[in-house]
Amino acid sequence: MTGTALANAIAEYLSSIEAGNYRENADSALQQWAEWLARERDVSHLDDVAVIDCRRYARHLKRRVRADELKSSTAHTYYAYVRAFLGFCEADELISKNPAAVSRAQAELPENTADADRQFWSQRDRKSILAFMDKRVERALDGDGVSRERAYRDRALVRLLALSGVRGAEVFRSPADDKRPGAAWKDVDIDGGSIRVFGKSREYEYAQLPRKAADALERYHRVFDPPTPRFPVFPTDHAPSKFRAVREQLEGEYTGNRIESILDENDIDDVVREYEIVIPAISTRGARNLMKRLCAEAGLDIDGEYLKPHGARRGLGHQLYSEGHAELAQSALRHASIATTHESYSNIRASETAERVDDVLDES
């Protein structure tokens, strides 16, 4: 066997990926695929990967779905990682054609039922959680429940998700991606009604900030009074992370003994504020856990689940689109083209078409 070793090609591909989460997930999927190729197809070099190997791999994934070892959406995701890798190899002129992109290979994939399972916040659920967050703030002001600062923070977080169309990874910290540290106050333009985020395109974009979301952020900002505009909008509560940030950012300005003395003699939050320490933002996982707790407090049960952060974006788009505002949905969700918006809400278009067909048939 000659040519590029599969392991070397995979390493080269992974080194080209900027997004940490995607790189980590792709690494895992591609290593599993390479092991399967070596074991089942006796293939270890890139040049030897043929269409039939990809077709057999797709069939292997289908069998795992039938055995309840994988969800159909996961099987499609695994295959997509392989297809993307081989597409990279084609573009890099390591192979002449992407064998995973051939239709007869992809035909063996299981039916993808992911769309039917995707959660979105219904209008009723959105109103319920927003009303609960308002009442929670009122209770905090009366000295009942969580602190006033926490109540304002959580309300701002839920309103931002529910009304702006932002993705969780755009406003919360993604631990595997250095370019996604979470939104900072310097990114928020309350008067201008926008928030600057690092978008899915891996370019900075401006997401719309409706009045109710902007008002919640403005009141939270007034109560919290962040020590610096570089401070995260939704900071972590993880004490070790705060201590680590203080030590790292005061290093060079003070001796190690002096830093430890400062930490021993003062509350960590007071140190953060006095020395304008920029602590990490809450992580995407932390935000999901927070939404679980809030839904439990509010008594909201969505088919045994909680209101997931990304479901807020889908729910906003669903309502705008279903009410006839396709272009507004495109703008709010920052889709590159209206075709993407139409595709995302094709179920609504099909329903509307059915109603129109019924009207025509009833008249005939």
Side-chain angles (χ1 to χ4, degrees), residues 208-268:
Q208 54 96 21
L209 200 59
R211 179 179 52 79
K212 288 186 177 180
D215 285 350
L217 282 166
E218 192 276 329
R219 292 175 186 177
Y220 165 45
H221 184 276
R222 193 188 317 149
V223 169
F224 181 59
D225 188 24
T228 168
R230 297 179 294 108
F231 207 78
V233 178
F234 304 112
T236 182
D237 285 327
H238 188 238
S241 296
K242 295 180 184 180
F243 278 92
R244 183 165 55 250
V246 168
R247 292 186 176 104
E248 289 176 354
Q249 292 174 46
L250 291 186
E251 186 180 11
E253 186 174 350
Y254 299 97
T255 64
N257 289 338
R258 176 55 181 155
I259 294 172
E260 295 307 315
S261 176
I262 291 172
L263 289 171
D264 289 341
E265 296 170 4
N266 300 278
D267 179 83
I268 183 61

Side-chain angles (χ1 to χ4, degrees), residues 36 61 69 109 145 163 200 202 214 253 270 288 310 326:
W36 178 87
L61 293 174
E69 295 176 0
L109 285 168
L163 305 174
K200 187 177 181 179
R202 301 197 66 79
E253 186 174 350
D270 291 338
R288 290 194 294 270
H310 200 69

Side-chain angles (χ1 to χ4, degrees), residues 121 161 166 168 172 284 287-288 291 306-313:
W121 295 18
L161 289 175
V166 296
F172 308 126
T284 49
R288 290 194 294 270
M291 288 304 305
Y306 65 102
L307 290 172
K308 300 175 182 178
H310 200 69
R313 174 181 166 83

